[in-house]
Amino acid sequence: MVAKITVNADQSVGTISRHIYGHFAEHLGRCIYEGIWVGEDSPIPNTRGIRNDVLAALRGLNIPVLRWPGGCFADEYHWKDGVGPREQRKRMVNTHWGGVVENNHFGTHEFFDLCELLGTEPYICGNVGSGTVQEMQEWVEYMTFDGESPMANWRQANGREKPWRLKYFGVGNENWGCGGNMRAEYYADEYRRYQTYVRNYGENRLYKIAGGANVDDYHWTETLMRQAGAYMDGLSLHNYTVPGGFEVKRPALGFDEAEWFETMKLALHMDELIKRHSAIMDQYDPQKRVGLIVDEWGNWFQVEPGTNPGFLYQQNSMRDALVAGLHFHIFHRHCDRVHMANIAQTVNVLQAMILTEGEKMLLTPTYHVFEMFKVHQDAEALALHLDADVYSLGEDSIPQISGSASKRANGTIDISLCNVDPQQEASVTLQLRGLAAGKKVTGRVLTHADRNAHNTFEQPETVKPHVFEGVTKVSENGLSATLPPMSVVVLTLV
Ligand code: AHR
């Protein structure tokens, strides 16, 4: 199987916002509690309650932005329950996710501490579904007001003198579903009302994100843009990759080639979704001022046997690695409109980077793709033309290769490639136009002979990146390489 790729190294097609590599951590299952927060008294080494091993691993990803506290949890979350002395905080039931007790020990102060420890920008999602305008207004005041005010005084009494810097603020989540079961027309008006009181205090400037469509609900996008487009900076979009569909859902492991193929095809559907939502946004916002914020994406499988169905804990295999790579290539292609994307979720939930069990921790294949691809963050996307064979199963086929190229500020060029065919390698001829000769090529590859390959607490390094030795020829204006079956490769030209 062959592929011809042409990269125009002197033709930038936009900037790949680092926020495309964003994350999402919800009060769901063991994401926040156990996965991130263990408390100051835990025997697990921690910094002010946040586990050190997870912190160190996440620092390796340069996480640019972190969305919190939900998800569906956001529209049931009352932030005032999560500030002040921890032992006095209200205990509530997390009705949406497993019916477990939420002790509110991880609240606003702990979240900002996590963001500061990670060097990441906070993205807070406010409560529209069961909250009030006043509650949302006061949260923003609590976090960002510098001066004398009831909320700023309360923040100071709770130990934080200076306000935090907050840019990203979501006005509700999935308001067509768990966030209030609203119609687009109704939510658009609610959005306008709530956002009025989401104020810019002092020098803090908020980027307001309206709750967006579910998958292909183009009516939602059209209505929001028409009725409320002028009041927003971003509009979200949620789409999960769910082989078999939500009614059926399939296991994360033990899948056959038909499920592999179906998953890849579903992942590629993100391209069509972005194109069509963007086309609607273009009608109302041709300047592309409003960002499409894909703040929930990733694989959604059955939970691991024996685990709480409300905790959404699933394993992560080579299949997840390829799905992550395909998504990034799609987001890069649409970087003029896609200003942010947030994988669901960071630890122990859905397509996670990290899985934990007590004091043990492992990095998933998805983690490794985020780590390998971080070179694209804030780089200039380069024009890339791809002419590849197809990967077929039965009557159906999809492109075998997907790719993306970018140029860093220092001139280094990174080219990422995915071979989604689990059986066939691919011979790739890469032509580089507009490049000074004499570049040195290095590469890394994530691959495995078994499509179900994954990391376990006993064998945490079954899937990990290796030096790529598949470059077969380097010439003045290009190179040839052989990509193994089901592989993710990043080539770097210095
Ligand atoms: O990520 C899990 C859930 O999926 C989120 O809480 C919700 O927004 C979406 O339906």
Side-chain angles (χ1 to χ4, degrees), residues 48-102:
R48 296 184 291 280
I50 297 167
R51 56 190 294 172
N52 290 343
D53 53 354
V54 170
L55 265 182
L58 293 180
R59 281 190 181 123
L61 300 183
N62 292 350
I63 294 182
V65 61
L66 179 60
R67 178 173 183 250
W68 173 84
C72 293
F73 182 79
D75 282 284
E76 296 199 62
Y77 182 60
H78 300 287
W79 70 271
K80 291 181 183 175
D81 298 344
V83 298
R86 274 188 213 115
E87 58 288 356
Q88 289 168 25
R89 293 186 194 172
K90 266 192 210 162
R91 290 161 69 81
M92 66 181 273
V93 178
N94 190 333
T95 38
H96 209 91
W97 301 118
V100 291
V101 171
E102 157 70 56

Side-chain angles (χ1 to χ4, degrees), residues 24 26 28 67 70-73 96-97 173-174 176 178 238 240 296 300 312 344-345 349-350:
F24 169 38
E26 181 168 12
L28 193 179
R67 178 173 183 250
C72 293
F73 182 79
H96 209 91
W97 301 118
N173 168 74
E174 296 196 350
W176 40 262
C178 63
H238 289 182
Y240 285 95
E296 289 189 29
W300 193 317
L312 309 186
Q345 301 191 5
V349 169
L350 298 176

Side-chain angles (χ1 to χ4, degrees), residues 200-215:
N200 289 321
Y201 291 111
E203 291 180 358
N204 194 68
R205 287 289 165 272
L206 291 166
Y207 179 105
K208 298 176 191 174
I209 300 171
N214 184 29
V215 192

Side-chain angles (χ1 to χ4, degrees), residues 331-349:
F331 296 149
H332 293 181
R333 267 205 296 287
H334 297 287
C335 64
D336 57 344
R337 183 62 86 178
V338 177
H339 296 177
M340 187 196 293
N342 308 70
I343 185 142
Q345 301 191 5
T346 307
V347 190
N348 287 334
V349 169

